[in-house]
Amino acid sequence: MRELLLATKNRGKLLELQKLLGGASEVRLLTALDFPNIQEPEETGTTFEENAQLKALYYAEHTGLACVADDSGLVVDALGGRPGVLSARYAPTDAERIAKLLEEMRDVPDSHRSARFVCAAAFAVPHPTPQVVALERGELEGWIARDPRGTNGFGFDPVFFVAELGCHLAEVPAEVKNTISHRARAFAKLRPHLEKWVKEPL
Ligand code: IMP
């Protein structure tokens, strides 16, 4: 049985990733929570791709396991792309992040409230030397709403109006989010690389 490490301690994300990657009986999924002594790396990249690669490589190196990492965030056009790679550090809690975003967007007219969730997903293996063998990106287009709606998901989901669903992301169940989300799209592209690795380990 192969072991694959998901390089995140964010429980909301873990739940989504386990659902997105689960199902392959030949793979046992571990998470960064199984390695409490390994400190999380600093996300020093300026792009989602840089951060995803940096995290996948770091955990592959420190655990000796094949490793999947993602970096994601919210890109708001009216804010010049912010909070972007700094989404998690925009404010201390989900509630504060939402309040700050709505305040920053208060005077932005409806026509200029476009935004997207972006996810970069990287797959790294430890041998013969730690290396990234796949890197993919997924995006979900939408608009920043004026008020939160819905209780599902996490992060900015309550204020993200999804164009293709016609409702806020936090209003749909996980099964629906998992078919269209930026993470689902990035991981759908990563999956063939993982399946190849399961069959012919690098
Ligand atoms: P990361 O852990 O560095 O990838 O930071 C992700 C941050 O972006 C989270 O803390 C959220 O604020 C935001 N984010 C990423 N994906 C989502 C999502 O699916 N829904 C809502 N917020 C998200």
Side-chain angles (χ1 to χ4, degrees):
M1 160 113 43
R2 314 233 146 268
E3 291 191 323
L4 179 67
L5 178 76
L6 302 181
T8 182
K9 291 185 177 172
N10 174 326
R11 283 174 195 280
K13 261 206 223 168
L14 271 180
L15 286 176
E16 288 189 10
L17 294 183
Q18 281 164 339
K19 283 193 191 125
L20 291 172
L21 292 174
S25 55
E26 321 83 60
V27 181
R28 178 165 169 250
L29 291 179
L30 298 162
T31 76
L33 293 168
D34 295 309
F35 296 89
N37 297 329
I38 299 180
Q39 286 215 329
E40 284 184 87
E42 236 189 290
E43 295 181 16
T44 52
T46 55
T47 63
F48 296 108
E49 278 80 3
E50 274 174 34
N51 280 335
Q53 293 187 84
L54 168 162
K55 281 189 266 187
L57 272 178
Y58 173 91
Y59 279 101
E61 211 169 284
H62 285 75
T63 62
L65 295 173
C67 187
V68 165
D70 83 320
D71 192 46
S72 58
L74 181 65
V75 172
V76 181
D77 293 326
L79 301 180
R82 283 190 305 110
V85 288
L86 300 178
S87 292
R89 289 165 269 179
Y90 184 55
T93 64
D94 276 351
E96 288 166 284
R97 284 188 272 271
I98 285 177
K100 182 172 172 185
L101 178 64
L102 291 181
E103 178 55 29
E104 278 207 83
M105 295 289 288
R106 201 173 38 154
D107 297 328
V108 177
D110 290 353
S111 55
H112 287 73
R113 298 177 76 89
S114 56
R116 67 207 51 79
F117 278 123
V118 177
C119 174
F123 175 45
V125 293
H127 304 298
T129 52
Q131 57 193 291
V132 173
V133 291
L135 179 64
E136 300 289 352
R137 169 185 271 239
E139 298 190 359
L140 178 64
E141 292 288 333
W143 304 86
I144 303 304
R146 294 206 173 263
D147 296 294
R149 247 190 236 172
T151 53
N152 298 322
F154 70 97
F156 295 102
D157 286 353
V159 288
F160 191 79
F161 181 87
V162 187
E164 63 198 88
L165 291 176
C167 67
H168 295 210
L169 194 50
E171 292 183 289
V172 298
E175 303 80 69
V176 174
K177 179 176 177 183
N178 276 345
T179 60
I180 58 155
S181 79
H182 47 311
R183 227 176 328 281
R185 287 171 175 165
F187 278 85
K189 294 187 202 164
L190 202 66
R191 210 176 162 111
H193 300 283
L194 297 172
E195 281 166 1
K196 185 161 174 263
W197 165 77
V198 171
K199 286 191 203 119
E200 323 152 17
L202 298 159

